[in-house]
Amino acid sequence: MKYTAHINVMPLKELLDPQGKAVSNSLHNLGLGQVQDVRVGKHISLQIEAGSEEEARQLTQDACKKLLANPVMEAFDFTLVAG
Amino acid sequence: MKYTAHINVMPLKELLDPQGKAVSNSLHNLGLGQVQDVRVGKHISLQIEAGSEEEARQLTQDACKKLLANPVMEAFDFTLVAG
Protein backbone atom coordinates (compact mmCIF):
# COMPACT_ATOMS: atom_id res chain seq x y z
CA MET A 1 0.00 0.00 0.00
CA LYS A 2 1.10 3.55 -0.64
CA TYR A 3 1.61 6.13 2.06
CA THR A 4 2.57 9.78 1.81
CA ALA A 5 4.84 11.17 4.51
CA HIS A 6 5.04 14.88 5.27
CA ILE A 7 8.23 15.55 7.21
CA ASN A 8 9.32 18.76 8.93
CA VAL A 9 12.96 19.18 9.86
CA MET A 10 13.53 22.23 12.07
CA PRO A 11 16.56 23.72 13.82
CA LEU A 12 16.54 22.85 17.54
CA LYS A 13 14.88 25.48 19.74
CA GLU A 14 18.06 25.89 21.80
CA LEU A 15 20.08 26.95 18.76
CA LEU A 16 20.25 30.25 16.96
CA ASP A 17 18.57 30.19 13.57
CA PRO A 18 20.36 32.82 11.46
CA GLN A 19 18.14 32.18 8.43
CA GLY A 20 15.04 32.75 10.54
CA LYS A 21 16.57 35.91 11.98
CA ALA A 22 17.28 37.19 8.46
CA VAL A 23 13.72 36.45 7.34
CA SER A 24 12.37 38.18 10.45
CA ASN A 25 14.43 41.31 9.72
CA SER A 26 13.34 41.33 6.08
CA LEU A 27 9.67 41.00 7.04
CA HIS A 28 10.05 43.93 9.44
CA ASN A 29 11.64 46.00 6.66
CA LEU A 30 8.67 45.13 4.43
CA GLY A 31 6.30 46.58 7.01
CA LEU A 32 5.30 43.32 8.69
CA GLY A 33 6.46 44.25 12.17
CA GLN A 34 3.86 42.00 13.84
CA VAL A 35 5.94 38.94 12.99
CA GLN A 36 8.28 37.39 15.58
CA ASP A 37 10.22 34.21 16.30
CA VAL A 38 10.72 33.13 12.71
CA ARG A 39 12.36 29.74 12.29
CA VAL A 40 13.20 28.22 8.93
CA GLY A 41 13.57 24.51 8.31
CA LYS A 42 12.89 21.93 5.63
CA HIS A 43 9.66 20.32 4.53
CA ILE A 44 10.00 17.01 2.72
CA SER A 45 7.19 15.03 1.16
CA LEU A 46 7.72 11.49 -0.07
CA GLN A 47 5.78 8.40 -1.01
CA ILE A 48 6.43 5.04 0.59
CA GLU A 49 5.40 1.57 -0.51
CA ALA A 50 4.81 -0.42 2.68
CA GLY A 51 2.71 -3.31 3.95
CA SER A 52 1.31 -1.45 6.93
CA GLU A 53 1.19 1.99 8.45
CA GLU A 54 3.55 0.79 11.18
CA GLU A 55 6.10 -0.27 8.55
CA ALA A 56 5.71 3.05 6.71
CA ARG A 57 6.28 4.89 9.99
CA GLN A 58 9.43 2.86 10.65
CA LEU A 59 10.77 3.52 7.14
CA THR A 60 10.10 7.26 7.41
CA GLN A 61 11.86 7.38 10.76
CA ASP A 62 14.83 5.52 9.23
CA ALA A 63 14.99 8.01 6.36
CA CYS A 64 14.97 10.95 8.79
CA LYS A 65 17.63 9.48 11.03
CA LYS A 66 19.92 8.26 8.27
CA LEU A 67 19.74 11.20 5.92
CA LEU A 68 17.15 13.94 6.30
CA ALA A 69 17.82 15.34 9.78
CA ASN A 70 21.08 16.09 11.53
CA PRO A 71 20.34 15.24 15.19
CA VAL A 72 23.05 17.58 16.46
CA MET A 73 21.23 20.62 15.09
CA GLU A 74 17.77 19.56 13.98
CA ALA A 75 14.60 17.87 15.19
CA PHE A 76 12.08 16.18 12.91
CA ASP A 77 8.44 15.25 13.05
CA PHE A 78 6.17 13.79 10.41
CA THR A 79 2.63 12.81 9.55
CA LEU A 80 1.63 9.83 7.44
CA VAL A 81 -1.37 9.74 5.12
CA ALA A 82 -2.56 6.64 3.30
CA GLY A 83 -2.56 6.98 -0.49
CA MET B 1 -3.63 37.99 20.39
CA LYS B 2 -0.79 35.71 19.38
CA TYR B 3 -1.00 33.22 16.56
CA THR B 4 1.54 30.71 15.33
CA ALA B 5 1.72 30.11 11.59
CA HIS B 6 3.20 26.94 10.12
CA ILE B 7 4.02 27.58 6.48
CA ASN B 8 5.11 25.08 3.83
CA VAL B 9 6.74 26.36 0.65
CA MET B 10 7.13 23.61 -1.95
CA PRO B 11 8.40 23.53 -5.53
CA LEU B 12 5.50 23.45 -8.01
CA LYS B 13 4.44 19.94 -9.04
CA GLU B 14 5.06 20.73 -12.71
CA LEU B 15 8.72 21.53 -12.10
CA LEU B 16 11.69 19.25 -11.65
CA ASP B 17 12.95 19.17 -8.07
CA PRO B 18 16.66 18.33 -8.31
CA GLN B 19 17.11 18.40 -4.52
CA GLY B 20 14.27 15.90 -4.11
CA LYS B 21 15.78 13.72 -6.82
CA ALA B 22 19.14 13.74 -5.04
CA VAL B 23 17.52 12.82 -1.73
CA SER B 24 15.59 10.04 -3.44
CA ASN B 25 18.79 8.59 -4.94
CA SER B 26 20.60 8.80 -1.61
CA LEU B 27 17.76 7.03 0.20
CA HIS B 28 17.85 4.25 -2.41
CA ASN B 29 21.61 3.92 -1.90
CA LEU B 30 21.00 3.63 1.85
CA GLY B 31 18.71 0.67 1.25
CA LEU B 32 15.40 2.55 1.40
CA GLY B 33 14.21 1.58 -2.08
CA GLN B 34 10.53 1.82 -1.08
CA VAL B 35 10.71 5.61 -1.19
CA GLN B 36 9.52 7.54 -4.26
CA ASP B 37 8.53 11.02 -5.36
CA VAL B 38 10.64 12.94 -2.89
CA ARG B 39 10.14 16.69 -2.93
CA VAL B 40 12.04 19.12 -0.75
CA GLY B 41 10.78 22.54 0.24
CA LYS B 42 10.88 24.92 3.17
CA HIS B 43 9.01 24.88 6.44
CA ILE B 44 8.71 28.21 8.22
CA SER B 45 7.18 28.79 11.63
CA LEU B 46 6.50 32.27 12.92
CA GLN B 47 4.49 34.10 15.53
CA ILE B 48 2.10 36.89 14.66
CA GLU B 49 0.50 39.50 16.87
CA ALA B 50 -2.95 40.18 15.40
CA GLY B 51 -6.40 41.26 16.49
CA SER B 52 -8.22 38.37 14.88
CA GLU B 53 -7.56 35.10 13.11
CA GLU B 54 -8.64 36.72 9.85
CA GLU B 55 -6.03 39.46 10.29
CA ALA B 56 -3.36 36.88 11.16
CA ARG B 57 -4.27 34.92 8.03
CA GLN B 58 -3.97 38.06 5.91
CA LEU B 59 -0.57 38.93 7.39
CA THR B 60 0.74 35.41 6.86
CA GLN B 61 -0.41 35.47 3.25
CA ASP B 62 1.31 38.86 2.79
CA ALA B 63 4.55 37.47 4.22
CA CYS B 64 4.41 34.48 1.87
CA LYS B 65 3.66 36.57 -1.20
CA LYS B 66 6.16 39.33 -0.45
CA LEU B 67 9.09 37.28 0.72
CA LEU B 68 8.79 33.62 1.58
CA ALA B 69 7.56 32.03 -1.66
CA ASN B 70 8.59 32.68 -5.23
CA PRO B 71 5.33 32.23 -7.20
CA VAL B 72 7.18 31.34 -10.42
CA MET B 73 8.61 28.20 -8.87
CA GLU B 74 6.87 27.58 -5.56
CA ALA B 75 3.47 27.14 -3.97
CA PHE B 76 2.72 27.77 -0.31
CA ASP B 77 0.14 26.68 2.20
CA PHE B 78 -0.12 27.33 5.91
CA THR B 79 -2.02 26.55 9.07
CA LEU B 80 -2.69 29.00 11.89
CA VAL B 81 -2.85 28.05 15.56
CA ALA B 82 -3.87 30.44 18.32
CA GLY B 83 -1.21 30.98 20.98
Side-chain angles (χ1 to χ4, degrees), chain A residues 5-69:
Chain A
H6 293 281
I7 305 165
N8 290 327
V9 180
M10 298 298 285
L12 290 174
K13 288 214 169 46
E14 300 77 33
L15 299 180
L16 275 180
D17 175 13
Q19 203 184 348
K21 188 74 190 146
V23 168
S24 180
N25 289 344
S26 300
L27 287 173
H28 288 199
N29 291 339
L30 289 167
L32 288 157
Q34 303 93 327
V35 173
Q36 293 174 325
D37 280 342
V38 183
R39 297 187 81 77
V40 180
K42 285 177 288 186
H43 183 79
I44 300 137
S45 69
L46 46 83
Q47 298 224 308
I48 297 183
E49 189 67 47
S52 68
E53 186 167 335
E54 188 46 43
E55 192 192 332
R57 188 171 304 278
Q58 194 57 54
L59 287 168
T60 308
Q61 210 145 29
D62 270 11
C64 290
K65 288 191 181 161
K66 286 187 182 168
L67 186 71
L68 301 174

Side-chain angles (χ1 to χ4, degrees), chain B residues 53-67:
Chain B
E53 186 166 335
E54 188 46 43
E55 193 192 331
R57 187 172 305 279
Q58 195 57 54
L59 286 169
T60 309
Q61 209 145 30
D62 271 11
C64 290
K65 288 190 179 159
K66 286 187 182 169
L67 185 71

Side-chain angles (χ1 to χ4, degrees), chain B residues 10-32:
Chain B
M10 298 297 287
L12 290 174
K13 288 218 168 44
E14 301 77 34
L15 299 180
L16 274 179
D17 175 13
Q19 202 184 350
K21 188 75 191 144
V23 168
S24 180
N25 289 344
S26 301
L27 287 173
H28 287 200
N29 291 339
L30 288 168
L32 289 157

